[in-house]
Amino acid sequence: PGWNTNEFSTNGTKRRKPGLVSLVPGDTVELVLHAGGAAHQSACLGLSYLESYELMGTVVAECRPPCACAPKRIDALNAAARHSLFRTVELAATLTTAPECVVRLSNEGASAAGALSKFRVSGMYVRRRNTDGGCERAPPTLRLSELDRNTA
């Protein structure tokens, strides 16, 4: 149990799908994203994950101090599709006391459509927020291999 790094698909094929994987409801992991710059700034946190037509579940992503954001439930199952692809969601965050953000991912189990509880994160990034509230479209500043991983 717990979140584990995994280079290949978990279904026995040799398809390369690197990422951080959870298979068990209740698993949590905290990831530290170093944003650079100063504290007290608005940021966008991006989370890239695998969406597929079978076996996938949901997670809740939430910020922990020293940053703040609204929790977001992410469902990785798309039963209508007949393919798997990586998607990215963004969370609006405020860096409060330090130029970093701790993001907790909690495996919530099966999606509303049934399925299992697998969730695969392929990367995360931090970008500045524009004055209009949108995210800058610069290249990602962090990749999964650069994250500090602390399991809870």
Side-chain angles (χ1 to χ4, degrees), residues 122-139:
S122 62
M124 294 188 77
Y125 61 82
V126 179
R127 293 184 181 148
R128 289 189 188 104
R129 251 191 329 208
N130 297 327
T131 54
D132 65 2
C135 296
E136 287 185 349
R137 292 294 160 209

Side-chain angles (χ1 to χ4, degrees), residues 16-33:
R16 191 165 185 279
K17 294 183 181 176
L20 190 61
V21 179
S22 171
L23 301 173
V24 180
D27 285 349
T28 62
V29 66
E30 290 187 352
L31 304 170
V32 179
L33 289 89

Side-chain angles (χ1 to χ4, degrees), residues 13-75:
T13 66
K14 290 294 182 181
R15 282 182 267 173
R16 191 165 185 279
K17 294 183 181 176
L20 190 61
V21 179
S22 171
L23 301 173
V24 180
D27 285 349
T28 62
V29 66
E30 290 187 352
L31 304 170
V32 179
L33 289 89
H34 301 281
H40 306 290
Q41 68 179 5
S42 295
C44 292
L45 306 178
L47 172 83
S48 297
Y49 65 96
L50 181 66
E51 179 185 84
S52 188
Y53 57 92
E54 63 181 356
L55 309 175
M56 305 306 285
T58 61
V59 299
V60 172
E62 60 184 327
C63 296
R64 310 289 295 160
C67 72
C69 67
K72 182 153 185 84
R73 185 174 189 273
I74 305 165
D75 189 342

